[in-house]
Amino acid sequence: MRIHGYLAFIVGICVTVWVCMFVVDVQDRQTKEAFQRDTQKIARDTQVRLQTYFDMLLSIKGVFAVDDDVSRLEFSRYVRELDLKRRYPGFQAIQFVRRVPSSQLETYAARIRADDSLQSGGYPDYKIHPVSVRPEHYLIEYNEPMKGNENAFGLDLAALPPHYQALQLGKATGRVVATERITLVQDASGQPGFVARAPIYKRGASLLTEAERDAALVGFVAIVFRVNDLMSEVIDSPMLQHLYVSINDVGYARDGGNWQPSVDNLMFDSFGKVGSGQRLPPLPGLVAKIPLDVGERRWIMSFEGHQGERYGRDMMLITVIGIAGFIISALIGAQIMTLQRRRVLAQKLRVTADELRALQDSAIVGIGLFANGVIVRCNSGLEEMMGYKSGELAGRACSVLTSGLSDPFSNVGDGANMHFELELAGANGKKLWCMVNGRLLDPKDARKGCVWVIIDITERKQAEAALVDTKHGLERSLNELALQKANVELAHKDLSAVLLTLKQAQASLITSEKMASLGALVAGIAHELNTPIGNSLLTATALSDMCKEFERQLGEGGIKRSALDIHLKDARMACSIITNSLTRAADLIHSFKQVAVDQTSDKRRAFNLYGVVHDTLATYSAQLRRANCEVKISMPETVNFISYPGSVGQVLSNLIQNALMHAFEGRDHGLLTISVAEVDEHTVELRFADDGIGMNARTLHQIYDPFFTTKMGQGGSGLGMNIVYNLVTGILRGTIQIDSEPGKGTMVTLTLPRKVPAKEELSEHDLLHAQ
């Protein structure tokens, strides 16, 4: 008795463990999704912030596009008006770098020292540093703000390889270019930084080629960044308590950006900004790398999520689920053991529960809470029943269910159940008859609302209305059914007679088609024989004339030896031409006789497949030559059959005619390929292919249908492929398959047995199929 209770308890424990594992999996999945959203947001915000600064850099470049000679005072005023410190924090300085040839270096330095447009007395202590000897120099001329960035004033970037490489790339491409990780000369803290620069060219100069851009270059405008300050504006400080963010510069994007992340190219690491202590290990699956393209360079943003409130598991929830599952399993086990003691009652309750469950599953039931004339909430069954989308009914007036009429749901009683039938209106105006059951949530306070259960009984109402009509019409339907049955039997007899007539007509048409095909062969052979016989007749006439001329010369008193040799040579040539022409004609006649005899007699005999193919192609040589169609044959000469050569030749003839009529339409040449391969010792596969226009799916589907043709009224009968199918699957006892696509040609694959039993050996079913 207790075994069922124990089993229920064990199953409950298993389900509880599964639910706990499922909750853990859901929490892990939600954690990964939150981590992915956080990393993508940080990467996107970083990209947007950098792009905003670069756009500001381009706006400063636009100032120089308007005026080639922007003074120090104008540059300073423009930068102050931008108010970048407040609006776009995170940068160290905005600079103008001028390109100065080595020959003009001293003149340039003197001009800078004497520039008092911004500072009274100029800059008498100005000097270029570091000192270097090179063809040209890139000197920081304007530096805003000057305070805190004095060390950068007069800096020669051409002497600093990272800066010089970025300048050369910017000059060549004309785009904004960033440097690699550098330590700013004006920053005593040693924090990593970088500089983004945009080239400035002479106004109106042509910039189509790299040489033109090099000749027109005036200098660069630049924004100097400290990466830590930049990222502090991008990443929310609370977010850094849950994940580590680091940025590595892995090189120029045009070079592939394939540097390995290391301490040397580390641009930013959030771990140094969040307190102190041991670095927490990343959680499984909470590691991501996102590439960013920053001023022609490739940055790799690395993210590691670690255990904490944002990315950790809620062990309290899992514990509660486990404890609750254990308690529920124990209660279910105890209840089952109790119920087992009342076996009869449990059986009745089980049957009743099954019936109620089946009733609920088969009916659409709407449940809603209505209060003060408003639908507070309802289930999806009510929305589906009334034709509303999910969430559309909640909050609306109850009158929408009655098309604005009086609200029947407001007539609540004193706590007793309410039950009545009511006609309601759906969202599309359709009327529904429903059975309505209601009960107050709180009998003492009707304002809390009433729960209504609404069941659609429209079909029942319609069935009741139609039941009477159905009962009266049933007898008439039975009489009509008997009459229709008699008519169907009569029609069946008529259709059987028509089918027999159609089969006879089809057999006659197939015979006519065969004779028409043979007639076409006769015409082709006659045309082909005309050439060798004409050549023979012409040569024989010429030979007769030569003999008469020889007799005349001989009668005139003698003939020279040279004339005799010439006469004999011409005679031998004429005999050779006559012999070759007549041999050609004899071969054609032999092939035609063999094909004609096989197709008309339709007798079973032993034959060589190569000979049948060769004879059939010989009879069509004229048509193939006129169509400029090349034929390639790939088959052994020792494939022997005991079958019906006439049917094989008829199949090949129909395939050749079909290809000449349909495959090469609109073309002046074509290629037919016939290949034979031995499948096994009893079966041979023959493939007939063309490189023509192919067939679409509709034509391929109907190709075996009698009288179906795409050349109706143009010489096509629609019986060619029907005859092929009947001959292959009937008399030859084989199979046929056609593969074709528009523009890719057609391939017909015939699988034929080497030995076919005689017709008298076939069963009655086989004979009917062969016919």
Side-chain angles (χ1 to χ4, degrees):
M1 288 290 184
R2 297 182 178 181
I3 187 65
H4 297 88
Y6 293 143
L7 287 176
F9 177 74
I10 294 173
V11 171
I13 294 298
C14 293
V15 172
T16 301
V17 172
W18 179 84
V19 171
C20 291
M21 294 175 63
F22 177 76
V23 172
V24 170
D25 182 68
V26 170
Q27 290 183 353
D28 290 344
R29 187 163 59 250
Q30 292 175 344
T31 298
K32 291 180 180 179
E33 291 175 355
F35 175 75
Q36 185 178 9
R37 288 194 301 270
D38 294 341
T39 56
Q40 290 179 351
K41 180 181 183 302
I42 293 174
R44 183 171 58 253
D45 291 347
T46 303
Q47 186 76 60
V48 170
R49 177 58 62 95
L50 288 171
Q51 187 60 46
T52 302
Y53 287 156
F54 290 171
D55 291 343
M56 183 58 62
L57 185 63
L58 294 178
S59 72
I60 301 174
K61 177 180 177 180
V63 175
F64 285 87
V66 175
D67 186 359
D68 288 340
D69 190 13
V70 178
S71 68
R72 185 181 304 276
L73 178 61
E74 292 171 337
F75 184 83
S76 178
R77 288 177 177 175
Y78 181 80
V79 173
R80 285 200 302 271
E81 288 298 326
L82 292 178
D83 195 14
L84 298 180
K85 279 288 187 180
R86 181 181 61 83
R87 296 171 59 195
Y88 303 102
F91 71 93
Q92 178 73 14
I94 298 180
Q95 302 170 341
F96 169 62
V97 179
R98 187 177 296 276
R99 181 186 189 186
V100 180
S102 179
S103 60
Q104 303 175 9
L105 195 60
E106 291 300 329
T107 304
Y108 171 80
R111 182 172 59 83
I112 297 300
R113 295 188 187 101
D115 184 2
D116 59 355
S117 61
L118 187 62
Q119 178 176 304
S120 177
Y123 304 95
D125 298 330
Y126 173 79
K127 62 179 180 179
I128 299 172
H129 60 282
V131 178
S132 62
V133 178
R134 56 186 61 253
E136 60 181 5
H137 302 265
Y138 292 90
L139 306 174
I140 299 178
E141 181 173 332
Y142 300 160
N143 196 15
E144 292 294 334
M146 181 66 77
K147 184 177 180 180
N149 296 297
E150 294 84 352
N151 292 338
F153 186 41
L155 182 66
D156 185 1
L157 301 179
L160 305 176
H163 295 275
Y164 186 69
Q165 184 180 9
L167 293 173
Q168 293 301 311
L169 179 60
K171 177 180 67 175
T173 61
R175 295 190 291 266
V176 175
V177 178
T179 65
E180 62 185 62
R181 177 187 186 272
I182 60 174
T183 300
L184 304 177
V185 297
Q186 62 268 48
D187 186 5
S189 66
Q191 296 183 24
F194 72 98
V195 182
R197 299 186 178 93
I200 298 175
Y201 301 98
K202 295 178 181 178
R203 187 172 58 176
S206 176
L207 305 175
L208 298 179
T209 65
E210 185 174 340
E212 291 177 342
R213 290 192 289 271
D214 183 34
L217 182 68
V218 174
F220 294 83
V221 289
I223 296 183
V224 182
F225 296 93
R226 288 193 302 184
V227 182
N228 288 347
D229 294 343
L230 176 67
M231 296 307 296
S232 65
E233 296 296 329
V234 174
I235 306 176
D236 296 335
S237 298
M239 184 67 69
L240 296 179
Q241 300 176 3
H242 306 287
L243 79 164
Y244 299 130
V245 182
S246 61
I247 301 176
N248 291 85
D249 183 341
V250 295
Y252 284 104
R254 67 172 187 173
D255 299 330
N258 52 7
W259 294 358
Q260 293 299 321
S262 64
V263 177
D264 295 333
N265 56 26
L266 181 65
M267 304 288 289
F268 173 75
D269 190 350
S270 65
F271 177 67
K273 298 194 63 147
V274 182
S276 60
Q278 186 178 3
R279 186 184 182 100
L280 297 175
L283 292 175
L286 300 190
V287 177
K289 292 181 181 294
I290 300 178
L292 295 179
D293 289 337
V294 179
E296 304 298 318
R297 295 194 69 84
R298 180 67 52 79
W299 284 9
I300 300 297
M301 299 191 70
S302 302
F303 301 90
E304 293 181 3
H306 52 77
Q307 183 70 35
E309 179 181 350
R310 186 175 184 85
Y311 300 131
R313 294 174 179 170
D314 188 356
M315 299 307 298
M316 178 64 70
L317 175 62
I318 298 173
T319 303
V320 170
I321 292 175
I323 295 174
F326 178 83
I327 295 174
I328 293 173
S329 301
L331 291 175
I332 292 175
Q335 177 136 6
I336 290 177
M337 286 188 288
T338 302
L339 292 177
Q340 285 292 332
R341 298 169 186 170
R342 302 178 181 181
R343 186 176 303 172
V344 177
L345 180 60
Q347 184 64 27
K348 292 182 180 180
L349 290 176
R350 189 178 299 110
V351 172
T352 303
D354 291 340
E355 290 176 352
L356 290 175
R357 190 180 298 111
L359 182 61
Q360 294 173 357
D361 293 340
S362 62
I364 299 177
V365 178
I367 303 174
L369 174 61
F370 300 172
N372 301 320
V374 176
I375 304 174
V376 179
R377 54 179 172 269
C378 62
N379 69 339
S380 58
L382 180 58
E383 293 175 331
E384 181 179 354
M385 181 192 308
M386 305 310 296
Y388 288 92
K389 295 181 180 179
S390 178
E392 283 189 348
L393 271 180
R396 301 185 67 173
C398 300
S399 58
V400 299
L401 302 180
T402 60
S403 298
L405 301 178
S406 59
D407 183 8
F409 302 103
S410 60
N411 301 322
V412 295
D414 55 357
N417 290 340
M418 291 158 283
H419 174 79
F420 52 88
E421 292 181 357
L422 181 64
E423 186 177 24
L424 301 178
N428 54 2
K430 183 180 179 181
K431 299 297 182 179
L432 300 175
W433 272 101
C434 300
M435 180 178 292
V436 181
N437 296 273
R439 186 168 185 176
L440 290 172
L441 279 177
D442 187 355
K444 298 179 180 180
D445 188 0
R447 292 176 299 176
K448 293 183 179 180
C450 181
V451 176
W452 295 92
V453 178
I454 303 174
I455 303 173
D456 185 2
I457 59 171
T458 302
E459 293 184 359
R460 193 194 75 184
K461 284 287 186 179
Q462 293 173 350
E464 291 175 354
L467 183 60
V468 176
D469 294 338
T470 303
K471 182 177 180 181
H472 291 306
L474 184 59
E475 294 180 358
R476 292 194 301 270
S477 299
L478 291 175
N479 295 333
E480 292 177 0
L481 183 62
L483 181 60
Q484 291 177 3
K485 181 179 180 182
N487 293 335
V488 168
E489 292 177 354
L490 182 59
H492 177 70
K493 294 180 181 179
D494 294 340
L495 288 175
S496 299
V498 171
L499 181 61
L500 180 60
T501 303
L502 287 176
K503 287 184 177 180
Q504 293 173 352
Q506 182 179 356
S508 299
L509 287 173
I510 291 175
T511 303
S512 299
E513 183 69 15
K514 289 183 178 180
M515 297 310 295
S517 175
L518 190 59
L521 293 182
V522 171
I525 289 297
H527 182 275
E528 188 69 14
L529 289 175
N530 185 55
T531 298
I533 292 177
N535 291 340
S536 299
L537 181 59
L538 179 62
T539 305
T541 303
L543 182 60
S544 176
D545 293 341
M546 286 191 300
C547 290
K548 290 179 182 180
E549 179 64 21
F550 183 77
E551 290 176 353
R552 185 188 63 78
Q553 293 178 2
L554 186 62
E556 290 178 354
I559 189 171
K560 296 180 180 181
R561 182 177 181 84
S562 59
L564 179 60
D565 291 339
I566 292 174
H567 176 74
L568 292 176
K569 181 180 179 181
D570 291 340
R572 282 195 298 272
M573 182 180 296
C575 292
S576 176
I577 293 173
I578 293 172
T579 301
N580 291 336
S581 298
L582 293 178
T583 301
R584 172 63 178 162
D587 291 340
L588 289 173
I589 293 172
H590 174 75
S591 298
F592 172 70
K593 287 174 59 181
Q594 186 63 54
V595 171
V597 168
D598 286 339
Q599 291 191 7
T600 55
S601 64
D602 203 20
K603 291 183 178 180
R604 175 175 176 270
R605 63 177 177 86
F607 64 93
N608 180 266
L609 182 60
Y610 182 84
V612 172
V613 173
H614 181 271
D615 291 342
T616 304
L617 288 175
T619 59
Y620 282 92
S621 58
Q623 292 94 319
L624 293 171
R625 187 166 56 254
R626 284 196 299 271
N628 194 21
C629 183
E630 180 185 357
V631 181
K632 291 185 178 181
I633 302 176
S634 175
M635 60 180 296
E637 299 183 4
T638 58
V639 179
N640 297 319
F641 275 71
I642 300 178
S643 184
Y644 296 90
S647 298
V648 176
Q650 182 69 41
V651 168
L652 289 173
S653 297
N654 285 15
L655 293 178
I656 293 172
Q657 290 178 0
N658 210 46
L660 292 176
M661 178 174 291
H662 300 279
F664 308 117
E665 183 177 3
R667 293 173 48 180
D668 57 359
H669 66 281
L671 173 64
L672 297 180
T673 304
I674 301 176
S675 60
V676 175
E678 299 184 37
V679 179
D680 52 42
E681 59 181 350
H682 302 295
T683 309
V684 170
E685 184 177 84
L686 187 151
R687 293 187 176 182
F688 182 93
D690 64 68
D691 64 345
I693 60 176
M695 293 178 281
N696 57 33
R698 179 178 178 276
T699 302
L700 191 62
H701 178 71
Q702 295 180 277
I703 193 169
Y704 298 129
D705 294 350
F707 308 110
F708 171 76
T709 178
T710 60
K711 295 290 185 179
M712 184 61 68
Q714 304 177 33
S717 66
L719 288 173
M721 291 307 297
N722 180 260
I723 292 174
V724 168
Y725 179 81
N726 290 333
L727 290 177
V728 172
T729 59
I731 295 177
L732 298 179
R733 311 299 292 166
T735 61
I736 180 172
Q737 179 181 347
I738 300 179
D739 299 309
S740 181
E741 292 183 18
K744 296 185 179 181
T746 302
M747 175 176 287
V748 182
T749 303
L750 307 179
T751 304
L752 304 174
R754 288 191 171 190
K755 183 177 181 180
V756 177
K759 291 184 178 180
E760 56 269 14
E761 300 176 8
L762 297 174
S763 65
E764 181 179 357
H765 176 270
D766 292 335
L767 287 174
L768 289 174
H769 183 70
Q771 294 176 357

